[in-house]
Amino acid sequence: MKAIAVRPGKSGSVHLRDIPDPNINSIIDGRGVRVKVLKVGVDATDREINDALYGNSPPGDDYLVLGHECFGIVQEIGPNVRNVKVGDYVTATVRRPGGSIYDQIGTYDMTSEETYFERGINLLHGYLTEQFVDGENYIVRVPKGLKHLHVLMEPMSCAAKAIQQAFECQRRMKVWQPRRAFVLGAGQIGLLSTLVLKLKGLEVFTLARGLAPNLKSEIVAGLESNYVSTQQTSLVDLAKRVGKADLIVDATGSSHIAFEAMQALGHNGVLVWTSITGGIRQTEVPSDKINLEWVLGNKLLLGSVNANREHFEAGIRDLALGEVMFPGVLERILTNPVHGLDNYQEMMRLLVEDNSALKVYVNVASE
Ligand code: BGC
Ligand code: ZN
């Protein structure tokens, strides 16, 4: 069957290749699920793997099948599968357990090991192919009524985890009642974080470069939140105008902004970093000032990566609620479909060159 793959370590190596069909019997406990891939989303991670910034082939192979944001339909189940049936729409988690205690209790997103196993990213093949087989623990059902949001499940799981972790940490405050949140960046993670925070009842300010009106500003407004163009109002100015934030989510992909954000966080607040910055950029920050305010304000910096099954399920519930509260808004994120695996070059071109492409995804097959 066809697959879109790269040769890890070799820049610009994205190509189409033929790989063996998966077999449900490769999962020996009878809990295997075979999924026909319908759509796969791609993001900066896929671009950076093709730029050879990171990513590794599975042992024994010299290629890595890309794709970690999948949406598909169950075609076959093993005799011991209980949670999904043939014909269900599903997505799948990305990371697979290593050997740490966190891995063993299903929280592989929190592995304490340096090596992590991620489908389509590190040491495991991804979903940009025609079908895949995995254990049912990693397959998450998507309600029929959310079918039109298909590839948003995985990015949503990352946003759901980041914010859930922030709230979890803030139990240190006993009575934490966050009112104001800043979301930095209005890419998929920024917009989905805006939704999660709005559903939690916060007043959300989502910052991005572009002048309003534009698609991102319209989506933010559709989520009854406030879009701020940093061409008009800087983060620091915003904090002066509306007050510092109780919670900030950085999803800009810029380490400079991630550090700058520290100056816009209020006392007892939490700043969550979610950007994967593969480069080697360096930046200057007023470190004495930040250090002082950080200590005097009991502030917290939290890094968040990946997501486990629980976060996928929470994210799916929030998408469902979001659809009811803000009908028709979320599907506007899904801007750039690419037709078929054969068009892998167009997929990469959109990722690399087209700044207006908010979300690129491949229509792999129809049902
Ligand atoms: C993926 C995460 C993954 C992270 C680090 C992101 O693009 O969405 O699932 O953990 O990259 O590899
Ligand atoms: Zn991703």
Side-chain angles (χ1 to χ4, degrees):
M1 61 179 184
K2 289 181 196 169
I4 300 179
V6 294
R7 291 187 185 281
K10 192 159 172 278
S11 173
S13 63
V14 66
H15 62 278
L16 191 69
R17 68 187 300 132
D18 195 45
I19 62 166
D21 286 355
N23 185 335
I24 201 162
N25 298 320
S26 62
I27 309 288
I28 49 177
D29 61 3
R31 296 182 66 202
V33 179
R34 187 164 58 81
V35 177
K36 175 179 177 186
V37 177
L38 300 177
K39 293 169 195 293
V40 177
V42 287
D43 68 1
T45 294
D46 302 281
R47 190 186 68 220
E48 294 187 343
I49 294 172
N50 189 43
D51 285 344
L53 293 178
Y54 46 81
N56 287 293
S57 309
D61 285 338
D62 62 355
Y63 65 93
L64 171 73
V65 176
L66 284 178
H68 59 275
E69 304 172 357
C70 83
F71 177 74
I73 187 164
V74 175
Q75 293 234 294
E76 186 185 359
I77 58 172
N80 301 327
V81 169
R82 296 285 168 268
N83 299 320
V84 288
K85 56 185 190 310
V86 172
D88 281 352
Y89 294 113
V90 291
T91 184
T93 63
V94 177
R95 208 172 267 196
R96 295 291 171 273
S100 81
I101 182 154
Y102 307 99
D103 295 279
Q104 280 152 34
I105 62 166
T107 57
Y108 37 78
D109 57 312
M110 301 302 258
T111 191
S112 55
E113 299 187 327
E114 289 294 325
T115 305
Y116 54 86
F117 302 87
E118 288 183 345
R119 291 197 67 152
I121 301 175
N122 210 37
L123 300 166
L124 298 170
H125 289 310
Y127 305 118
L128 268 167
T129 181
E130 294 173 52
Q131 3 172 344
F132 67 91
V133 161
D134 218 326
E136 76 165 321
N137 282 347
Y138 309 115
I139 306 288
V140 184
R141 192 167 167 189
V142 176
K144 269 202 189 74
L146 287 184
K147 184 183 157 185
H148 61 297
L149 299 182
H150 45 81
V151 301
L152 289 183
M153 306 302 148
E154 196 277 341
M156 184 61 178
S157 73
C158 295
K161 171 186 170 175
I163 292 160
Q164 190 242 53
Q165 286 284 304
F167 275 77
E168 196 69 12
C169 291
Q170 291 298 81
R171 282 159 64 173
R172 72 189 174 121
M173 303 309 310
K174 312 286 191 265
V175 291
W176 196 52
Q177 289 178 336
R179 298 219 171 83
R180 189 178 311 112
F182 295 164
V183 174
L184 312 182
Q188 55 174 356
I189 300 293
L191 293 171
L192 294 170
S193 296
T194 302
L195 169 67
V196 176
L197 292 165
K198 181 67 193 174
L199 292 177
K200 282 189 174 297
L202 279 86
E203 188 186 11
V204 188
F205 295 84
T206 303
L207 289 79
R209 232 164 305 167
L211 291 170
N214 60 45
L215 176 63
K216 292 173 176 182
S217 76
E218 286 173 11
I219 294 172
V220 171
L223 299 174
E224 294 175 18
S225 296
N226 309 282
Y227 179 86
V228 178
S229 165
T230 52
Q231 287 184 53
Q232 286 177 327
T233 311
S234 72
L235 174 59
V236 172
D237 287 345
L238 177 69
K240 277 189 197 134
R241 200 181 80 207
V242 303
K244 290 182 175 176
D246 303 303
L247 197 165
I248 302 181
V249 177
D250 170 63
T252 55
S254 157
S255 53
H256 179 77
I257 297 174
F259 277 90
E260 190 184 55
M262 298 180 91
Q263 300 175 64
L265 188 72
H267 280 201
N268 298 348
V270 54
L271 166 59
V272 193
W273 283 358
T274 69
S275 296
I276 317 266
T277 50
I280 49 162
R281 259 175 296 173
Q282 302 204 13
T283 184
E284 233 172 72
V285 292
S287 51
D288 268 353
K289 179 171 179 280
I290 291 177
N291 190 147
L292 178 74
E293 289 176 358
W294 209 256
V295 171
L296 295 182
N298 289 298
K299 300 176 192 182
L300 185 69
L301 175 61
L302 172 68
S304 179
V305 71
N306 196 251
N308 65 44
R309 183 185 189 89
E310 189 195 320
H311 309 121
F312 271 78
E313 289 171 350
I316 287 169
R317 282 196 296 274
D318 272 359
L319 285 174
L321 189 54
E323 232 356 62
V324 175
M325 289 199 44
F326 315 109
V329 174
L330 295 165
E331 65 206 55
R332 299 190 66 194
I333 298 175
L334 296 160
T335 49
N336 290 70
V338 171
H339 185 68
L341 294 167
D342 293 345
N343 277 319
Y344 65 94
Q345 271 161 333
E346 172 64 0
M347 171 194 96
M348 226 13 113
R349 190 195 68 77
L350 286 166
L351 274 179
V352 174
E353 288 172 22
D354 194 337
N355 286 331
S356 71
L358 177 50
K359 184 71 209 164
V360 181
Y361 61 97
V362 181
N363 277 323
V364 176
S366 48
E367 290 174 43

